[in-house]
Amino acid sequence: MFPVLTLLEYAAAVILTLWGALGAIRNRPAGRGLLGFAAFVLLLLLVQLVVGIAAFGGHSGTDPLLFFGYVATAIVLMPLAGVWAFAELSRWGPLVLMAAGITVFVMVVRMDQIWQ
Amino acid sequence: MAVSYSAMHSGLGRGLTAVYGIFALAATARAGYEFASKFDQAPLAYSLSLFSALVYIVATVCFVLGTRTSHRIAIGACLVEFVGVIVVGALSLIRPDLFPDSTVWSAFGIGYGFIPVILPLVGLWWLRRVGRAAQAASPAQV
């Protein structure tokens, strides 16, 4: 896709996963830092959406429905996980964000494969 | 009584509910894409994608509700899911000609890190635990 943005997305998904796991292991609810970071992951995905739309014109060979389907699904997933983690005052909040981090990572891998 | 079945989405059940939710979302998006863009290429595989999405949605809703009825439906959903993964997984290997394209359950869920085959087993184990605890709390309700 776009090397810098893609690398940022991978790094953010990994950090979200580890941060979530750490919170769950330490038996703490998701704090402001973790929730803020989840919002940052969402922001990256929104940037991905905008950049994707902007760059799609001069691009052939990529199925738009498939590519933007993944982007849109990830964009739907993150706020759901974030709201859940915000409302959940137990270790399961960070765990939900960890699951979201793993999912976003896999989805970015797929986006990268689809975008050729 | 209602309180004890709400344990379905407490503790470990929270994690299970989240994973079911993610699968419901992912499978629905996948089936929606397949139906919208290329249904003719592999109708059986794509219909199974849609079916798996529905099973995941039913299971997620049942876990969230956490009532006696939803506990029973969730057990059914997990059983359907497990049988589905085994049958589709085996068929996809024995009769690949039936599946020109893969489904969520192809090769026992290899495309999803084998979570599709593990998830219903963890789900059934958890539901049995919750069910037993709920019955112990109020034996009159069978």
Side-chain angles (χ1 to χ4, degrees):
Chain A
M1 292 185 290
F2 319 96
V4 178
L5 181 59
T6 309
L7 279 177
L8 261 176
E9 286 168 348
Y10 280 136
V14 169
I15 291 170
L16 184 66
T17 304
L18 295 178
W19 198 337
L22 192 71
I25 291 166
R26 290 172 69 208
N27 203 0
R28 303 267 172 84
R32 272 188 195 178
L34 179 53
L35 290 170
F37 192 77
F40 172 70
V41 174
L42 176 62
L43 182 72
L44 281 180
L45 292 168
L46 290 170
V47 170
Q48 172 73 72
L49 177 67
V50 173
V51 172
I53 292 170
F56 207 82
H59 201 78
S60 62
T62 297
D63 184 344
L65 199 56
L66 188 58
F67 179 76
F68 290 108
Y70 270 97
V71 179
T73 307
I75 287 174
V76 170
L77 173 76
M78 276 313 299
L80 288 176
V83 168
W84 185 339
F86 174 72
E88 179 85 53
L89 297 177
S90 72
R91 63 161 59 175
W92 300 99
L95 201 91
V96 167
L97 288 176
M98 181 189 101
I102 296 170
T103 311
V104 167
F105 186 90
V106 174
M107 295 182 84
V108 173
V109 172
R110 288 288 293 136
M111 286 177 212
D112 205 14
Q113 289 170 350
I114 296 159
W115 188 277
Q116 4 169 317
Chain B
M1 197 275 295
V3 175
S4 42
Y5 280 103
S6 71
M8 273 167 82
H9 55 234
S10 310
L12 179 68
R14 284 288 150 106
L16 265 178
T17 310
V19 176
Y20 266 108
I22 290 172
F23 266 81
L25 182 66
T28 305
R30 177 184 179 139
Y33 163 71
E34 288 170 345
F35 269 68
S37 71
K38 50 177 184 178
F39 182 72
D40 298 341
Q41 288 174 26
L44 176 64
Y46 300 151
S47 300
L48 282 168
S49 286
L50 182 66
F51 178 69
S52 69
L54 292 174
V55 173
Y56 288 126
I57 291 171
V58 168
T60 307
V61 171
C62 287
F63 270 93
V64 171
L65 290 177
T67 64
R68 194 158 69 100
T69 311
S70 84
H71 181 264
R72 287 192 179 166
I73 300 173
I75 290 176
C78 284
L79 285 172
V80 168
E81 187 192 340
F82 184 66
V83 172
V85 178
I86 296 301
V87 171
V88 174
L91 267 180
S92 66
L93 297 177
I94 300 164
R95 292 284 307 276
D97 53 304
L98 286 175
F99 299 92
D101 199 357
S102 60
T103 80
V104 178
W105 291 342
S106 285
F108 308 108
I110 195 168
Y112 293 81
F114 292 110
I115 292 173
V117 74
I118 300 162
L119 194 58
L121 293 176
V122 178
L124 284 170
W125 167 78
W126 176 251
L127 288 169
R128 200 176 72 138
R129 239 182 78 146
V130 170
R132 284 191 171 173
Q135 282 201 11
S138 67
Q141 299 280 352
V142 178

